[in-house]
């Protein structure tokens, strides 16, 4: 019988396309829509389109923004001599939440992955080199994910950056704060020992 | 910085209103929207509004439908002598999926719950009695949820149905198929013993 209520089937199908929404959650959300008032449902639809239409990539750092260039790139107070390279716009947001970094960003829009056919030309590598050429940067901080793709991308980037007389650093790997040593994986412990600091 | 991208904040806020969507899933879905093409996002918005506008309550059984009266109420093949009382439209769909019941339904739109201020007048009790008055039913199957509210509603309903010379039954409670006896709760085991069948 549910198979006959086309608008419901259609809505469940559309919702299932979203990440983390399985068939059961899609059904649950679809039913909840029926109990909401029309204005609230219209609000969700409008917010979806608004976000889609008004959020763009910044043409300078390639993070997401609703102003072009983005507020970070236009911020006169930020440290113009440091640039932090990340994989995704989400990483920029995470680092901004942490709040202690005050330089600029460059979003690669991914990491090198031969398996998924992502090579240097699919990432914002060229744009990074152009920025470094034009700018007055003295340090590039590599803040890519500590996994195989991220490490490979970091190594490739380090090679590309050699011709520039820049300090190239990467963010520290080690035990996460609040984590417990006995539950840490071997790679994390290895990094934690390698990157140990003199107190 | 995320606090400055208004369309993103707004979308995350709207998504968090949906059941089962916490702040993290809302963020994840919002970001995925940015990577979808505009047509796909418009499709979700349209499906939401379509469902909201076109899915109604059937004025006969109070289940959800996009045709009035609903296909079940209009089905000439169904058994006109049996009516199954459920709490929600979702229950109708679940029973239709099971597929062995071929009579009519009546959705109460909830269960009695003094705590949440739901009395008989807030449920479709009156409409059920009217249907029973007008119809040629010989059996009412009570298929309410086996919890405190459902049981209380079933008892109240049974009392209301006394004046009608009808067979009133309730669906069996017991061990779920595929379940294991050692993990069943005490109430289920109690019902399973009480409702035991001669083989």
């Amino acid at each position: 019988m549910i198979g006959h209520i086309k608008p419901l089937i259609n809505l469940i199908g559309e919702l299932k396309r979203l990440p983390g929404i399985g068939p059961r959650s899609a059904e649950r959300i679809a039913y909840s829509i029926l109990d909401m008032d029309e204005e609230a449902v219209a609000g969700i639809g409008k917010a979806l389109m608004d976000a889609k239409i008004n959020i763009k990539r910044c043409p300078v750092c390639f993070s997401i923004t609703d102003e072009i260039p983005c507020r970070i790139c236009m911020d006169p107070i930020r440290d113009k001599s440091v640039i932090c390279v990340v994989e995704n716009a989400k990483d920029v947001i995470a680092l901004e939440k942490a709040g202690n970094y005050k330089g600029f960003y460059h979003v690669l829009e991914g990491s090198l992955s031969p398996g998924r056919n992502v090579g240097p030309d699919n990432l914002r590598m060229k744009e990074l080199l152009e920025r470094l050429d034009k700018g007055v940067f003295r340090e590039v901080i590599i803040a890519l994910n500590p996994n195989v793709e991220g490490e490979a991308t970091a190594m490739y980037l380090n090679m590309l950056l050699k011709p520039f007389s820049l300090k190239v650093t990467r963010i520290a790997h080690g035990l996460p704060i609040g984590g417990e040593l006995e539950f840490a994986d071997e790679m994390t412990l290895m990094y934690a020992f390698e990157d140990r600091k003199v107190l």
Side-chain angles (χ1 to χ4, degrees), chain A residues 148-166:
Chain A
V148 179
E149 285 92 353
E151 295 289 315
T153 312
M155 278 169 63
Y156 185 84
L157 212 55
N158 195 24
M159 196 188 71
L160 284 186
L161 297 179
K162 277 275 182 292
F164 298 83
S165 52
L166 281 164

Side-chain angles (χ1 to χ4, degrees), chain A residues 3-197:
Chain A
H4 290 121
I5 309 180
K6 279 234 183 71
L8 190 63
I9 292 303
N10 184 28
L11 177 57
I12 292 171
E14 291 285 342
L15 292 171
K16 273 196 292 194
R17 297 164 60 164
L18 299 173
I21 306 285
R24 296 291 288 182
S25 333
E27 270 188 35
R28 202 152 138 238
I29 294 172
Y31 289 125
S32 79
I33 294 297
L34 307 180
D35 293 330
M36 287 170 73
D37 56 54
E38 205 173 304
E39 208 174 324
V41 180
I44 299 173
K46 193 177 168 300
L48 282 166
M49 279 313 281
D50 266 5
K52 182 64 213 164
I53 291 171
N54 295 321
I55 301 177
K56 314 258 180 232
R57 290 273 172 192
C58 170
V60 180
C61 71
F62 301 98
S63 185
I64 55 170
T65 178
D66 57 343
E67 279 184 15
I68 282 176
C70 78
R71 286 182 190 76
I72 294 177
C73 289
M74 294 303 280
D75 191 340
I77 306 164
R78 296 188 83 105
D79 184 351
K80 287 173 181 54
S81 69
V82 197
I83 189 161
C84 175
V85 181
V86 296
E87 291 181 23
N88 299 302
K90 282 180 245 193
D91 304 327
V92 173
I93 291 164
L95 291 170
E96 285 297 293
K97 270 188 193 159
N100 60 334
Y101 175 67
K102 291 294 172 205
F104 288 108
Y105 290 97
H106 190 85
V107 177
L108 289 181
E109 295 193 41
S111 53
L112 292 175
S113 170
R116 284 181 295 123
N117 245 337
V118 183
D121 293 344
N122 305 112
L123 302 176
R124 300 291 183 180
M125 297 263 186
K126 189 167 54 85
E127 290 86 349
L128 174 63
L129 300 183
E130 281 168 13
R131 283 181 81 183
L132 295 176
D133 245 344
K134 279 188 236 159
V136 287
F137 298 102
R138 62 174 172 78
E139 182 175 356
V140 176
I141 302 174
I142 299 181
L144 303 176
N145 289 324
N147 55 28
V148 179
E149 285 92 353
E151 295 289 315
T153 312
M155 278 169 63
Y156 185 84
L157 212 55
N158 195 24
M159 196 188 71
L160 284 186
L161 297 179
K162 277 275 182 292
F164 298 83
S165 52
L166 281 164
K167 188 175 162 193
V168 180
T169 57
R170 73 151 168 71
I171 54 166
H173 301 331
L175 279 186
I177 304 304
E180 286 177 55
L181 203 138
E182 62 170 315
F183 299 122
D185 63 291
E186 293 145 39
M187 284 299 285
T188 301
L189 286 178
M190 217 181 77
Y191 274 118
F193 268 84
E194 264 181 22
D195 293 356
R196 67 190 180 277
K197 274 174 68 176

